[in-house]
């Protein structure tokens, strides 16, 4: 309606109303995001937070603290969505998908250190890396068992060596759980070689 009128200071008034509307849109989208976040609907929350962030860019009244908070919320929602996807894949024994999701979560953590400002970023990265290693070990163990059952000893040996090598080159190689897995892999390699011969 204002655009159709010819009054002094029309442009400033339009700009003020536009900024106010953007502020309302920002608050509304953030509230929707918060509700979705509380209900663990991470993708939906992220979508609302991104819309709020877009509105904040249009709103002249948006302060840097609220923009920073929205950026944090977007990263957290994306991170939780990725971890949730990894957990779901792990439960379904979809090992490659689980590994991919956890790897993506580590990348989100690493590339957003400044935004997250969490002292435990390294600890969280380590937890995710550990789960990734567990998933790859289980996947390779299952592949090796299938090859052994079918009498494919060279293929089985290759999988067992992959288990041994992935643990040996990881930061978890000295942990008892993984030491035991490495020993089992070594024994299985020796047995596979004997069976092949």
């Amino acid at each position: 309606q204002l655009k159709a009128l010819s009054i002094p200071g029309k442009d400033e008034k339009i700009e003020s109303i536009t900024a106010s509307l953007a502020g309302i849109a920002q608050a509304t989208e953030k509230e929707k995001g918060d509700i979705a976040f509380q209900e663990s609907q991470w993708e939906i929350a992220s979508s609302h937070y991104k819309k709020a962030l877009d509105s904040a860019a249009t709103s002249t009244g948006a302060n840097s603290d609220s923009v920073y908070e929205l950026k944090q919320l977007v990263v957290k929602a994306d991170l939780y969505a990725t971890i949730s996807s990894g957990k779901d894949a792990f439960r379904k024994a979809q090992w490659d998908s689980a590994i991919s999701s956890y790897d993506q979560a580590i990348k989100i953590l690493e590339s957003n250190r400044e935004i997250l400002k969490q002292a435990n970023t390294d600890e969280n990265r380590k937890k995710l890396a550990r789960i990734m290693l567990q998933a790859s070990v289980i996947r390779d163990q299952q592949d090796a068992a299938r090859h052994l059952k079918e009498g494919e000893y060279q293929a089985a040996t290759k999988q067992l060596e992959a288990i041994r090598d992935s643990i040996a080159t990881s930061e978890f190689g000295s942990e008892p759980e993984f030491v035991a897995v490495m020993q089992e892999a070594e024994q299985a390699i020796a047995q596979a070689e004997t069976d092949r011969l």
Side-chain angles (χ1 to χ4, degrees):
Q1 288 176 350
L2 187 59
K3 284 177 183 176
L5 299 175
S6 58
I7 56 170
K10 181 170 82 170
D11 289 344
E12 291 81 15
K13 287 179 174 65
I14 289 173
E15 201 174 292
S16 171
I17 290 171
T18 303
S20 295
L21 288 171
I24 292 166
Q26 177 189 335
T28 304
E29 290 298 337
K30 183 185 179 300
E31 186 178 348
K32 287 178 183 176
D34 290 343
I35 291 167
F37 197 94
Q38 287 169 356
E39 294 173 355
S40 301
Q41 296 176 334
W42 313 120
E43 288 94 349
I44 295 169
S46 176
S47 171
H48 286 301
Y49 290 142
K50 284 173 184 168
K51 286 177 187 171
L53 203 52
D54 290 342
S55 296
T58 314
S59 172
T60 53
N63 64 34
S64 59
D65 287 345
S66 64
V67 169
Y68 181 76
E69 181 193 5
L70 286 168
K71 284 181 180 177
Q72 273 190 324
L73 290 168
V74 167
V75 171
K76 284 182 180 177
D78 288 346
L79 179 63
Y80 294 166
T82 308
I83 292 171
S84 177
S85 172
K87 283 181 181 175
D88 190 46
F90 200 100
R91 271 194 302 274
K92 293 176 181 173
Q94 297 169 342
W95 308 119
D96 290 334
S97 182
I99 291 165
S100 175
S101 291
Y102 286 123
D103 185 46
Q104 183 61 33
I106 288 171
K107 287 176 183 165
I108 292 170
L109 271 175
E110 294 287 336
S111 61
N112 292 287
R113 281 179 180 270
E114 287 302 310
I115 291 174
L116 292 173
K117 283 193 176 171
Q118 291 179 329
N120 59 353
T121 297
D122 288 331
E123 185 184 323
N124 288 334
R125 186 208 57 78
K126 192 172 179 178
K127 283 179 188 173
L128 291 169
R130 191 174 199 285
I131 296 168
M132 272 178 61
L133 180 59
Q134 287 172 329
S136 71
V137 164
I138 294 168
R139 178 197 61 198
D140 293 345
Q141 283 175 330
Q142 289 178 347
D143 286 347
R146 191 181 73 251
H147 288 306
L148 287 171
K149 188 176 180 183
E150 294 170 7
E152 300 166 347
Y153 299 112
Q154 280 185 307
T157 300
K158 192 175 176 183
Q159 291 299 128
L160 293 163
E161 286 170 348
I163 293 169
R164 181 192 61 200
D165 296 345
S166 64
I167 293 172
T169 56
S170 77
E171 59 191 304
F172 310 103
S174 60
E175 291 186 10
E177 174 191 346
F178 292 110
V179 168
V181 171
M182 276 177 60
Q183 289 170 347
E184 285 171 19
E186 289 289 357
Q187 289 168 359
I189 289 168
Q191 186 61 51
E193 284 299 307
T194 302
D195 293 345
R196 184 172 68 86
L197 292 169

